[in-house]
């Protein structure tokens, strides 16, 4: 599958740090050529948190080579060569490529094969530009920093394989990654964040804290939740249920499979076919003869909830008085993600989605859209998410009927409506072309954890196409039938991705209300009366639905505390003979240590109020 090519207009929107990293990729290519003059280069863009350059080279580059490559890069940066732009004709560009001069330090016997292919595929009428730094000349639309000396601190990070243009039919290249920042402090801070990120990795902590497993016999990308993970899910569902009920949502349930005709009607087939699991074709016996049923009896695992919800809207006659109608479901969906793209809980094949579909009149759109955004902001505050960004994704008019439904006027209208609401609400957003859903513009919510790692955690989508495809109507005030607008939204995303985010955000140190094990009772000794007293506290806590356990081993108290700390149990009630005699408990909080003795009733009341208020 070909990687999307960025236009010169899109490239001109590069941020300052992206320009710096793009320039660093040219310096990387320069350095590689100083060491291996036969290297051939394809693409070298800035990417999230760094840059890369794809290279075709007989020598297999490894991290052992990074030191000498970086040494050559430092020479090029010290030389402080200007980045000089040169515009050429298509014929001139091809001629230079045939001489091997593109992405090279001089003319070479071998032509610049990848650059020639890129030149040949540049749309007619689009300007062709080259950039020079020192002896290195590259086919490039830019932009760059002024001089190589403006590149601050950098470091090569890894090397991987990548197909040319992302197509497995093309040659496999070596992709050398690096990152760059304006200052060494920023670079050091970034790698410190990476080290902290390794400690917080949800895959590591998910196993250590017994939250979830992925088993080969069940299948890749199909997480199963252990009791401690199930407890987190229950709390998130409770939060969503209470929040949505207060906002006027109604909860529904839909099956995990549906006939092919449903997804053809919704338009997900063929637009979404690559992400859907292959169909199950059913057979039945008629007059004792096996007979293959027609295409309408192919069944698919549910990849999205929206078609089912549209059917629920259509099941009952609707009036404008019924709108807005908000249907919510924590629905389980299945996506056929490629095995190489599966990443712990972040990229899975089975997901439980905090989904809802809002049906409304055009006049209600602004209020409903703002209501959804406010729900996002309230959740961010609850979970301590201070940095976030909404990516407003629009369509590409040249891909109507291919990647996007062919409704140019509706695209224009709904994008303008969404843009106006975002501007009026003052929400931090950026506009991204060519990334909309196939049925309408969408917003992807990017959030940063406390250590600065970025996650895509939720989505909010406008849909003008599917209500029409399903013939959804309501009777308006003038007694005419009209088609509602629809908003798809999932503020908490999926359990899988959101819990993965929360594990890393909190480093497994969940707040009390969300903690898988909220209280563990640790006795000092095993005297029968002490155990009886501790069990009465346990029963009282569990009677209030507190997730409490009692340590049953006969180990010394220090060993019991150590195990509770390792499992990041939020609160420990340490109970000895003195505590029992005083009708008290000694309270210990994970990460904070011993808070001293408290009367039993007060300690339990504190637990209950903290959980009820969902304190941080």
């Amino acid at each position: 599958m070909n990687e999307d090519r960025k236009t010169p207009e899109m490239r001109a929107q590069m941020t300052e740090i992206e320009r710096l990293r793009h320039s660093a990729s040219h310096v990387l290519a320069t350095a590689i050529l100083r060491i291996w003059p036969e290297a051939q280069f394809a693409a070298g863009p800035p990417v999230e948190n760094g840059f890369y350059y794809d290279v075709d080279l007989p020598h297999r580059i490894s991290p052992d080579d990074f030191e000498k490559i970086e040494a050559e890069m430092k020479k090029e940066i010290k030389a402080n060569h200007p980045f000089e732009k040169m515009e050429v004709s298509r014929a001139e560009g091809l001629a230079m490529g045939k001489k091997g001069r593109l992405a090279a330090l001089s003319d070479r016997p071998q032509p610049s094969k990848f650059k020639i292919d890129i030149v040949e595929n540049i749309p007619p009428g689009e300007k062709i530009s080259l950039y020079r730094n020192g002896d290195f000349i590259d086919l490039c639309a830019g932009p760059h920093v002024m001089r190589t000396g403006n590149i601050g601190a950098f470091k090569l990070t890894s090397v991987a394989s990548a197909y040319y243009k992302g197509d497995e039919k093309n040659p496999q290249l070596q992709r050398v990654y690096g990152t760059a920042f304006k200052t060494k402090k920023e670079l050091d801070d970034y790698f410190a964040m990476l080290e902290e990120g390794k400690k917080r990795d949800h895959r590591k902590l998910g196993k250590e804290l017994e939250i979830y497993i992925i088993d080969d016999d069940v299948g890749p990308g199909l997480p199963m939740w252990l009791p401690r993970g199930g407890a987190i899910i229950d709390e998130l569902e409770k939060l969503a249920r209470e929040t949505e009920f207060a906002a006027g949502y109604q909860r529904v349930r839909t099956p995990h499979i549906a006939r092919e005709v449903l997804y053809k009607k919704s338009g997900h087939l063929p637009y979404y076919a690559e992400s859907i699991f292959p169909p199950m074709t059913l057979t039945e016996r008629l007059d004792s003869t096996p007979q293959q049923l027609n295409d309408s009896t192919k069944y698919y695992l549910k990849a999205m909830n929206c078609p089912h919800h549209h059917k629920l809207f259509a099941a009952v006659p609707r009036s404008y008085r019924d709108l807005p109608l908000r249907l919510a479901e924590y629905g389980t969906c299945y996506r056929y993600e490629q095995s190489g793209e599966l990443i712990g809980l972040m990229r899975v094949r089975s997901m439980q989605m905090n989904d809802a579909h809002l049906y409304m009149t055009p006049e209600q759109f602004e209020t409903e859209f703002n209501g959804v955004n406010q729900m996002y902001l309230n959740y961010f505050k609850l979970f301590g998410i201070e940095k976030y960004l909404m990516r407003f994704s629009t369509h590409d008019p040249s891909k109507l009927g291919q990647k996007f439904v062919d409704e140019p006027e509706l695209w224009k209208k709904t994008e303008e409506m969404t843009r106006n609401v975002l501007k009026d609400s003052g929400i931090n957003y950026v506009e991204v072309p060519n990334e909309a859903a196939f049925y309408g513009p969408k917003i992807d919510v990017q959030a940063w954890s406390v250590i600065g790692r970025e996650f895509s955690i939720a989505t909010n989508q406008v849909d003008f196409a599917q209500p029409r495809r399903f013939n959804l109507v309501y009777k308006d005030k003038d007694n005419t039938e009209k088609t509602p607008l629809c908003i798809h939204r999932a503020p908490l995303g999926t359990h899988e991705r959101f819990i993965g985010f929360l594990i890393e955000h909190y480093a497994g140190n969940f707040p009390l209300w969300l903690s898988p094990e909220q209280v563990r009772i640790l006795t000092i000794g095993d005297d029968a009366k002490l155990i009886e007293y501790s069990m009465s506290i346990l029963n009282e806590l569990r009677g209030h639905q507190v997730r409490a356990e009692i340590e049953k081993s006969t180990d010394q108290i220090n060993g019991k505390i150590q195990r509770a700390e390792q499992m990041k149990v939020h609160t420990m009630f340490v109970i000895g003979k003195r505590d029992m005699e005083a009708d008290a408990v000694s309270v210990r909080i994970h990460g904070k240590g011993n808070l001293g003795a408290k009367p039993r009733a007060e300690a339990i009341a504190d637990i209950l109020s903290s959980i009820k208020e969902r304190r941080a």
Side-chain angles (χ1 to χ4, degrees):
M1 184 176 176
N2 287 346
E3 296 174 341
D4 285 338
R5 178 179 177 274
K6 286 184 170 59
T7 65
E9 292 75 21
M10 293 165 68
R11 287 178 174 273
Q13 296 174 5
M14 276 189 194
T15 64
E16 184 179 358
I17 192 64
E18 287 173 332
R19 291 174 184 236
L20 184 149
R21 289 168 177 167
H22 186 202
S23 303
S25 72
H26 281 230
V27 170
L28 167 63
T30 305
I32 289 175
L33 285 165
R34 297 281 184 208
I35 303 168
W36 300 286
E38 71 275 23
Q40 293 272 0
F41 293 91
V47 291
E48 182 182 2
N49 295 323
F51 61 89
Y52 70 77
Y53 219 127
D54 286 343
V55 57
D56 186 19
L57 182 65
H59 172 79
R60 296 301 302 175
I61 296 175
S62 76
D64 293 339
D65 296 314
F66 287 175
E67 186 176 350
K68 60 184 176 184
I69 296 173
E70 289 173 346
E72 291 295 332
M73 292 176 70
K74 289 175 182 176
K75 292 178 185 177
E76 180 65 15
I77 289 171
K78 186 176 181 180
N80 201 25
H81 291 130
F83 280 97
E84 302 172 278
K85 182 177 181 179
M86 302 173 284
E87 289 191 357
V88 297
S89 67
R90 187 179 300 268
E92 290 171 329
L94 289 172
M96 293 180 71
K98 289 174 183 177
K99 293 179 181 178
R101 188 65 181 96
L102 297 181
L105 302 177
S106 63
D107 289 354
R108 298 188 294 181
Q110 297 297 324
S112 306
K113 55 185 178 181
F114 301 112
K115 299 298 181 178
I116 290 174
D117 178 66
I118 294 171
V119 171
E120 290 175 340
N121 284 281
I122 293 175
E126 186 176 303
K127 292 181 179 179
I128 298 175
S129 62
L130 313 178
Y131 273 85
R132 175 197 289 271
N133 54 280
D135 295 328
F136 181 67
I137 296 177
D138 201 0
L139 175 71
C140 179
H144 291 280
V145 295
M146 293 294 292
R147 312 180 72 89
T148 58
N150 296 134
I151 298 171
F154 72 91
K155 186 175 179 64
L156 299 184
T157 55
S158 63
V159 61
S161 296
Y163 291 107
Y164 177 52
K165 293 186 174 180
D167 191 333
E168 61 185 13
K169 296 177 182 177
N170 288 334
Q172 192 175 63
L173 309 177
Q174 300 181 68
R175 179 167 289 182
V176 183
Y177 285 97
T179 191
F181 291 86
K182 293 173 69 174
T183 67
K184 187 174 186 303
K185 182 182 183 305
E186 289 174 316
L187 184 72
D188 290 343
D189 288 347
Y190 172 72
F191 281 100
M193 181 198 75
L194 291 183
E195 284 303 310
E196 180 63 22
K198 290 178 184 177
K199 299 175 188 175
R200 293 172 176 248
D201 191 313
H202 76 277
R203 292 166 292 186
K204 174 177 177 289
L205 289 177
K207 181 178 180 180
E208 292 174 357
L209 301 180
E210 299 175 8
I211 292 174
Y212 78 98
I213 63 167
I214 295 177
D215 187 276
D216 287 342
D217 289 345
V218 176
L222 302 173
M224 296 191 295
W225 300 96
L226 293 159
R228 299 171 74 85
I232 300 173
I233 286 175
D234 286 345
E235 287 294 345
L236 292 177
E237 288 195 356
K238 181 181 178 184
L239 170 66
R241 189 164 55 248
E242 292 175 0
T243 302
E244 290 165 359
F245 183 82
Y249 286 71
Q250 301 176 62
R251 294 185 75 79
V252 297
R253 301 246 180 202
T254 58
H256 291 227
I257 62 173
R259 286 181 168 187
E260 180 182 54
V261 66
L262 181 71
Y263 300 118
K264 283 187 173 180
K265 184 171 288 187
S266 70
H268 288 97
L269 290 174
Y271 289 104
Y272 211 75
E274 290 183 357
S275 297
I276 300 178
F277 272 89
M280 300 169 279
T281 304
L282 304 186
T283 59
E284 65 178 8
R285 290 184 180 274
L286 297 176
D287 300 327
S288 301
T289 304
Q291 181 175 332
Q292 183 83 18
L293 300 183
N294 59 34
D295 285 346
S296 67
T297 54
K298 286 182 178 177
Y299 280 79
Y300 285 85
L301 285 172
K302 181 171 65 173
M304 65 296 296
N305 298 303
C306 43
H308 300 72
H309 289 191
H310 299 332
K311 285 292 187 180
L312 294 175
F313 179 97
V316 178
R318 307 291 181 182
S319 159
Y320 71 93
R321 294 185 181 90
D322 301 319
L323 304 184
L325 179 67
R326 310 177 187 97
L327 302 180
E329 177 182 20
Y330 245 115
T332 303
C333 296
Y334 304 87
R335 306 276 174 86
Y336 187 61
E337 302 286 359
Q338 297 299 312
S339 58
E341 296 176 343
L342 299 174
I343 307 172
L345 294 175
M346 295 301 172
R347 200 75 178 263
V348 294
R349 289 175 170 171
S350 170
M351 62 209 74
Q352 297 162 287
M353 190 177 299
N354 173 221
D355 217 352
H357 295 87
L358 286 62
Y359 303 89
M360 71 214 69
T361 69
E363 295 76 22
Q364 295 167 334
F365 176 79
E366 181 173 351
T367 299
E368 291 304 303
F369 199 83
N370 273 330
V372 170
N373 286 340
Q374 188 58 50
M375 191 178 286
Y376 281 91
L377 298 179
N378 290 342
Y379 283 146
F380 293 163
K381 184 177 180 180
L382 174 64
F383 292 107
I385 300 170
E386 297 180 352
K387 182 181 178 182
Y388 61 88
L389 176 70
M390 295 197 178
R391 289 167 51 93
F392 171 38
S393 298
T394 59
H395 79 298
D396 180 348
S398 69
K399 295 182 180 179
L400 288 173
Q402 302 167 29
K403 187 174 180 180
F404 309 106
V405 293
D406 194 4
E407 297 280 1
E409 291 305 314
L410 285 173
W411 276 107
K412 183 178 179 181
K413 179 180 178 181
T414 52
E415 287 178 354
E416 188 62 24
M417 289 170 67
T418 306
R419 188 179 293 110
N420 288 340
V421 173
L422 286 168
K423 287 180 179 177
D424 292 344
S425 64
I427 288 176
N428 186 27
Y429 81 96
V430 294
E431 192 162 325
V432 184
N434 195 32
E435 291 188 12
F438 76 87
Y439 46 66
K442 69 171 180 173
I443 290 172
D444 291 312
V445 182
Q446 308 297 115
W448 281 259
S449 70
V450 291
I451 63 166
R453 290 191 65 187
E454 182 181 0
F455 296 80
S456 297
I457 60 171
T459 187
N460 185 10
Q461 303 174 0
V462 183
D463 185 354
F464 57 78
Q466 286 194 52
R468 290 177 60 180
R469 297 179 74 101
F470 279 86
N471 297 316
L472 302 187
V473 295
Y474 64 93
K475 283 287 183 70
D476 207 354
K477 295 177 184 178
D478 58 5
N479 207 35
T480 61
E481 289 189 340
K482 294 186 179 174
T483 302
L485 279 176
C486 178
I487 291 176
H488 306 233
R489 46 106 284 183
L492 296 177
T494 66
H495 283 322
E496 289 71 21
R497 179 167 291 193
F498 197 68
I499 290 175
F501 164 78
L502 290 178
I503 291 171
E504 300 194 11
H505 183 58
Y506 291 126
N509 303 313
F510 296 100
L512 180 62
W513 70 273
L514 195 55
S515 182
E517 187 177 350
Q518 293 167 322
V519 179
R520 186 178 293 187
I521 297 171
L522 312 175
T523 60
I524 304 175
D526 57 356
D527 178 81
K529 288 185 177 180
L530 183 64
I531 298 299
E532 181 181 351
Y533 175 71
S534 300
M535 287 299 297
S536 71
I537 295 175
L538 176 70
N539 292 334
E540 184 176 352
L541 288 168
R542 292 185 69 84
H544 288 287
Q545 301 295 304
V546 177
R547 293 186 291 278
E549 303 289 345
I550 188 167
E551 170 71 78
K552 296 178 180 179
S553 77
T554 57
D555 292 352
Q556 295 296 311
I557 188 61
N558 287 342
K560 294 179 179 182
I561 290 173
Q562 184 179 28
R563 278 195 297 278
E565 292 282 359
Q566 286 173 345
M567 292 304 290
K568 301 182 186 289
V569 176
H570 186 279
T571 299
M572 287 151 267
F573 283 176
V574 181
I575 302 175
K577 187 176 179 181
R578 288 184 191 174
D579 299 298
M580 177 182 66
E581 291 171 348
D583 196 25
V585 297
S586 293
V587 180
R588 183 182 182 89
I589 304 295
H590 172 68
K592 295 182 180 179
N594 188 12
L595 302 187
K598 285 187 178 182
R600 166 180 174 165
E602 180 184 332
I604 292 176
D606 285 347
I607 292 289
L608 297 181
S609 60
S610 179
I611 292 172
K612 182 179 180 180
E613 296 167 14
R614 295 191 173 101
R615 295 179 197 160

